[in-house]
Amino acid sequence: FKNVGGHQGFFLSGIRPAWFMVFRERLRVHPQLCDGSIAAFTVLHNVNCNHGFIYVTSQGFLKICQLPSGLTYDNYWPVHKMPLKCTPHQVTYFAEKNLYPLIVSYPVNKPLNQILSSTADQESGNQIDNDNLSSDDMQRTYTVDEFEVRILEPEKSGGPWQTKATIPMQSSENALTVRMVTLLNTTTKENETLLAIGTAYVQGEDVAARGRVLLYTLGRSDNPQNLVSEVYSKELKGAISAVASLQGHLLIAAGPKIILHKWTGTELNGVAFFDAPPLHVVSLNIVKNFILLGDVHKSIYFLSWKEQGAQLSLLAKDFGSLDCFSTEFLIDGSTLSLVVSDEQKNFQIFYYAPKVSESWKGQKLLSRAEFHIGAHVTKFLRLQMLPALSDRPSAAPAPDKTNRYALLFGTLDGSIGCIAPLDELTFRRLQSLQRKLVDAVPHVGGLNPRSFRQFQSNGKAHRPGPDNIVDCELLCHYEMLQLEEQLEIAHQIGTTRSQIISNLNDLSLGTSFL
């Protein structure tokens, strides 16, 4: 096509349709996953459909479409930028109403006397001595950050997103976490989906840390006045750094404590707590009745919740010191792994094996793999992998889901990556290929990819973990080698070129939620 939405290139139909667009003499590939296999495609341009296109799906549906105008396609993914005019901190998604609650902060100029009065310790009644400050000093303005939670709704036509509601925080109050939680109302015996916000009052090191937990209901989005209504607010000791829902209960990280609450419809009542030595919880993750807790300095803790007896018990922990940035569970069928990223730009994968002698009767989490990302990973998102073509016989219909999950992650330098599980045979084949490619592929800037991906401990004592991760950034270079080199390397590792390409395609298809 010469002009579809102002772009040129070609469209590849078939089982895995994709757009190939040309930008500045560079080809960008964007898969189209929404309608499955596509049988036919052509360009359409008339009064009713300006520079659009028509395609027919394999089910026999004919669709007349246009490309969304607000997207930039000259990237690895189509990108839609939204001006916020403030700093975003954390976002969550409410699928039921298609809303995105977002924590933002923006600078505000305030006079010094107003700042000093808000930082006075209310509990001990300390008053700040202002005698040594002149009136000019008191009237001088200083910049402080004000926080709020915005409820955003995407525009269906691809236009700018709309702010449906705003929840302002109090003076000196920072919103630390926002999460959609499903709680069981013990009065009505019904599940309620609420917006939970955890905050902290930042008033200097001389003031005891306090925070608030806030619960809101999100109503109909067509009435902005009634969209958000507060149903609960309570002040607690310590900063509320993480919240999560656990089998109808609300799990709150308040300072060094983890407290589990039940919801009565008007009150949160504590039913269990965990008081081991975490200093400051940076992330909470839940799978069934298992809890993964990441601490700012004390690495990760693996807990379980038992309804009978109402107790939170520690199953195992990592005994090393690790400055956690983010944590998440990695699920591969019946295998559960614990992933953590750290301050040295690594991530590690642990597992719980109480029957193995090295685990000290189950007290210690064992290392499954480790890898140097080269960037600070601040968020993992668990997504269900799609079935690959080789996972089923040719005559069998394609299952929609698999019992494998991949972790999508975002980093502080703006990059996005993915960790995905592999079966044993494919892993061994790709690991052998990786060892050959270290020598066969020219190194960027003379930097060895094998040494770069080794765990960086910054001088601390660290026992190397098993080498159980393959680097797909290196493996992707295999397809770019000359055909003779591809055949030679495949022969050296005892396989065929078509088998390697098939494995790489299956991995690409399994993670094509990207």
Side-chain angles (χ1 to χ4, degrees):
F1 54 87
K2 291 286 185 185
N3 187 350
V4 172
H7 306 293
Q8 60 177 339
F10 63 92
F11 182 84
L12 183 68
S13 60
I15 299 174
R16 296 172 61 187
W19 293 82
F20 291 77
M21 297 181 178
V22 179
F23 295 94
R24 296 173 294 179
E25 299 183 0
R26 180 175 182 176
L27 207 59
R28 295 287 192 181
V29 183
H30 298 300
Q32 179 172 311
L33 306 170
C34 55
D35 286 313
S37 179
I38 289 178
F41 171 95
T42 189
V43 175
L44 174 68
H45 174 54
N46 62 19
V47 177
N48 299 314
C49 184
N50 188 29
H51 294 295
F53 55 95
I54 302 176
Y55 63 84
V56 180
T57 68
S58 57
Q59 286 82 25
F61 292 103
L62 183 144
K63 293 199 172 185
I64 301 173
C65 309
Q66 287 178 304
L67 285 176
S69 58
L71 291 172
T72 305
Y73 296 94
D74 189 11
N75 285 289
Y76 289 100
W77 297 353
V79 173
H80 183 192
K81 288 189 177 180
M82 294 171 297
L84 292 172
K85 298 184 179 176
C86 53
T87 304
H89 293 273
Q90 199 176 100
V91 65
T92 188
Y93 179 51
F94 185 29
E96 203 175 296
K97 301 273 173 61
N98 194 28
L99 297 172
Y100 289 86
L102 173 70
I103 296 176
V104 298
S105 67
Y106 50 91
V108 175
N109 290 324
K110 287 189 175 182
L112 179 60
N113 56 2
Q114 195 175 339
I115 297 172
L116 291 177
S117 63
S118 67
T119 55
D121 190 354
Q122 302 297 328
E123 292 180 10
S124 57
N126 292 341
Q127 296 299 317
I128 295 178
D129 185 12
N130 298 333
D131 296 340
N132 56 351
L133 295 173
S134 66
S135 59
D136 290 341
D137 289 334
M138 296 300 291
Q139 293 304 317
R140 190 177 297 165
T141 60
Y142 288 85
T143 303
V144 294
D145 282 339
E146 293 276 314
F147 279 74
E148 66 184 24
V149 176
R150 294 182 185 175
I151 312 297
L152 301 176
E153 184 179 43
E155 188 68 38
K156 292 181 176 63
S157 61
W161 290 22
Q162 294 182 338
T163 302
K164 289 294 184 180
T166 301
I167 305 170
M169 298 294 110
Q170 295 178 0
S171 179
S172 304
E173 185 181 30
N174 290 14
L176 298 183
T177 182
V178 61
R179 186 81 69 95
M180 297 305 304
V181 293
T182 302
L183 305 182
L184 176 65
N185 189 326
T186 56
T187 307
T188 62
K189 305 298 181 187
E190 292 180 353
N191 284 329
E192 296 180 9
T193 302
L194 302 173
L195 175 68
I197 302 172
T199 73
Y201 289 98
V202 180
Q203 297 175 320
E205 60 187 24
D206 299 325
V207 181
R210 296 175 296 125
R212 285 196 305 161
V213 58
L214 307 165
L215 295 179
Y216 291 86
T217 58
L218 296 179
R220 295 175 61 85
S221 58
D222 52 4
N223 189 352
Q225 280 77 26
N226 300 331
L227 175 62
V228 176
S229 56
E230 184 180 304
V231 292
Y232 183 76
S233 171
K234 186 179 181 181
E235 190 174 296
L236 299 171
K237 289 183 179 179
I240 312 299
S241 56
V243 294
S245 56
L246 171 62
Q247 295 183 344
H249 298 74
L250 183 64
L251 191 63
I252 297 174
K257 275 191 177 181
I258 312 296
I259 311 168
L260 191 68
H261 296 80
K262 65 179 179 182
W263 173 241
T264 65
T266 54
E267 281 289 326
L268 283 176
N269 297 326
V271 292
F273 70 94
F274 175 69
D275 208 7
L279 303 172
H280 176 78
V281 176
V282 293
S283 67
L284 279 175
N285 307 103
I286 310 290
V287 164
K288 294 184 178 178
N289 64 320
F290 296 114
I291 304 160
L292 174 57
L293 181 156
D295 187 78
V296 69
H297 289 309
K298 296 286 186 179
S299 195
I300 58 173
Y301 292 74
F302 185 43
L303 314 175
S304 75
W305 156 248
K306 292 179 182 174
E307 189 93 43
Q308 191 176 6
Q311 64 184 65
L312 286 169
S313 54
L314 176 66
L315 295 177
K317 66 177 183 176
D318 175 28
F319 281 81
S321 64
L322 196 71
D323 299 345
C324 293
F325 266 54
S326 184
T327 59
E328 187 53 274
F329 286 105
L330 182 63
I331 300 170
D332 181 13
S334 59
T335 305
L336 185 68
S337 302
L338 293 72
V339 181
V340 55
S341 64
D342 65 28
E343 189 262 339
Q344 294 298 323
K345 304 180 181 179
N346 312 299
F347 74 75
Q348 294 181 74
I349 302 178
F350 292 92
Y351 68 104
Y352 176 59
K355 294 180 181 178
V356 178
S357 59
E358 296 173 4
S359 69
W360 304 345
K361 296 183 179 178
Q363 297 178 63
K364 181 182 178 183
L365 290 169
L366 301 177
S367 176
R368 176 163 274 151
E370 58 188 26
F371 194 73
H372 183 66
I373 292 286
H376 289 123
V377 177
T378 52
K379 178 65 179 177
F380 289 107
L381 179 64
R382 190 170 66 241
L383 294 172
Q384 200 161 13
M385 292 180 69
L386 302 170
L389 294 173
S390 61
D391 289 349
R392 62 180 189 273
S394 57
D400 291 335
K401 302 287 183 181
T402 66
N403 58 348
R404 275 187 168 170
Y405 288 79
L407 297 184
L408 196 66
F409 62 82
T411 69
L412 286 184
D413 63 7
S415 58
I416 295 174
C418 181
I419 309 167
L422 285 170
D423 60 79
E424 183 74 19
L425 188 62
T426 304
F427 170 75
R428 295 295 170 206
R429 185 180 296 120
L430 294 181
Q431 189 182 44
S432 301
L433 175 64
Q434 178 176 282
R435 288 171 182 153
K436 291 292 180 183
L437 290 179
V438 169
D439 300 324
V441 174
H443 298 168
V444 179
L447 301 173
N448 189 297
R450 190 174 175 186
S451 64
F452 173 69
R453 294 303 185 187
Q454 286 181 339
F455 188 89
Q456 308 289 319
S457 60
N458 196 25
K460 293 180 182 176
H462 174 74
R463 184 180 178 184
D467 182 19
N468 282 341
I469 291 187
V470 288
D471 181 8
C472 276
E473 282 196 14
L474 179 59
L475 294 176
C476 288
H477 287 286
Y478 178 78
E479 297 172 301
M480 296 295 125
L481 295 174
Q482 294 181 13
L483 181 61
E484 292 79 10
E485 285 187 78
Q486 292 184 26
L487 294 170
E488 176 64 25
I489 289 173
H491 178 68
Q492 288 175 359
I493 63 174
T495 185
T496 61
R497 174 183 176 273
S498 60
Q499 182 65 64
I500 293 172
I501 298 294
S502 173
N503 289 150
L504 294 175
N505 278 344
D506 285 349
L507 187 59
S508 174
L509 187 61
T511 56
S512 56
F513 48 74
L514 303 181

